Amino acid sequence: MSYQQITHSAAKIAVYPGSFDPVTYGHLDIIHRAAKQFDRLIVAVLNNLNKNPLFSLNERMELLREVTADLPNVEVDGFRDLLINYMQQKQANVIVRGLRAVSDFEYELQMASMNHKLNPGVETFFMMTNPAYSYLSSSIVKEIAKFHAPVAELVPPQVEKALRTKFRS
Ligand code: PNS
């Protein structure tokens, strides 16, 4: 088997799941770096019916598509299933998650351990968030934007515009 055949048959598909309400520069940093490590990266937006997101599933996906348009191996999708079922549906075996601080660890460990129990064939890969964005979260961005404070350093221009429209008074 040639090297090319080996790499082809071992194509690595990773899924970066999240709420992305909305996508921030922290998420985008993880997307850029993860896209370099895998053949295909699927950014999977959770349509969580229990949460009350600011942006609809379609709006969140559209913003993600706009800000990742320059990354040919990145695609954006939505899901409402158990993540581990969605992984199987996509034939993907790596979950990518960003870790910002120790405070993220407990929740992430719980999720990774449960996902591992549900399907040991799926690995969770953690990436340390760029320290420049370690304080950043979608919730904080929404809080700031709600009070019309500047968010240009926190989110891409498309997201900044969408936030301005949402919080227009
Ligand atoms: O951006 P978030 O809100 O921190 O992402 C959390 C997400 C979407 C990764 C997590 O809630 C999830 O995977 N939800 C899908 C339902 C599921 O599989 N739950 C069990 C996880 S152990």
Side-chain angles (χ1 to χ4, degrees):
M1 198 186 264
S2 73
Y3 172 72
Q4 250 180 349
Q5 279 172 315
I6 292 167
T7 51
H8 182 72
S9 61
K12 279 271 174 216
I13 307 171
V15 169
Y16 179 32
S19 303
F20 304 104
D21 184 38
V23 56
T24 68
Y25 275 137
H27 296 128
L28 202 50
D29 170 62
I30 297 284
I31 293 171
H32 274 260
R33 285 158 55 208
K36 288 190 192 143
Q37 303 300 326
F38 301 99
D39 300 310
R40 263 176 79 199
L41 179 69
I42 303 171
V43 182
V45 186
L46 178 66
N47 188 13
N48 189 340
L49 302 174
N50 303 327
K51 275 193 184 176
N52 193 10
L54 176 64
F55 292 97
S56 70
L57 176 69
N58 279 341
E59 288 171 328
R60 285 178 280 154
M61 286 173 47
E62 190 46 41
L63 287 170
L64 272 161
R65 285 203 181 101
E66 286 177 25
V67 301
T68 59
D70 58 327
L71 300 170
N73 65 334
V74 172
E75 59 200 84
V76 178
D77 193 19
F79 77 108
R80 57 166 58 188
D81 201 351
L82 261 188
L83 177 58
I84 217 74
N85 293 346
Y86 177 78
M87 298 295 294
Q88 191 166 10
Q89 187 193 320
K90 290 288 162 182
Q91 298 283 292
N93 49 11
V94 173
I95 297 168
V96 171
R97 292 287 289 171
L99 275 182
R100 286 168 299 193
V102 177
S103 50
D104 282 342
F105 183 77
E106 216 164 313
Y107 172 58
E108 294 297 334
L109 175 67
Q110 192 181 19
M111 276 203 304
S113 306
M114 182 52 78
N115 284 327
H116 181 79
K117 188 173 165 57
L118 293 170
N119 184 349
V122 170
E123 288 291 348
T124 302
F125 279 30
F126 290 106
M127 298 181 64
M128 304 314 295
T129 298
N130 183 328
Y133 305 125
S134 61
Y135 61 91
L136 195 48
S137 72
S138 298
S139 310
I140 279 202
V141 166
K142 285 181 280 191
E143 184 79 7
I144 291 169
K146 190 162 80 181
F147 293 105
H148 307 289
V151 292
E153 287 181 24
L154 315 178
V155 294
Q158 297 92 329
V159 178
E160 189 192 2
K161 190 168 160 230
L163 281 165
R164 234 182 289 126
T165 307
K166 284 279 178 201
F167 291 120
R168 193 172 286 153
S169 48

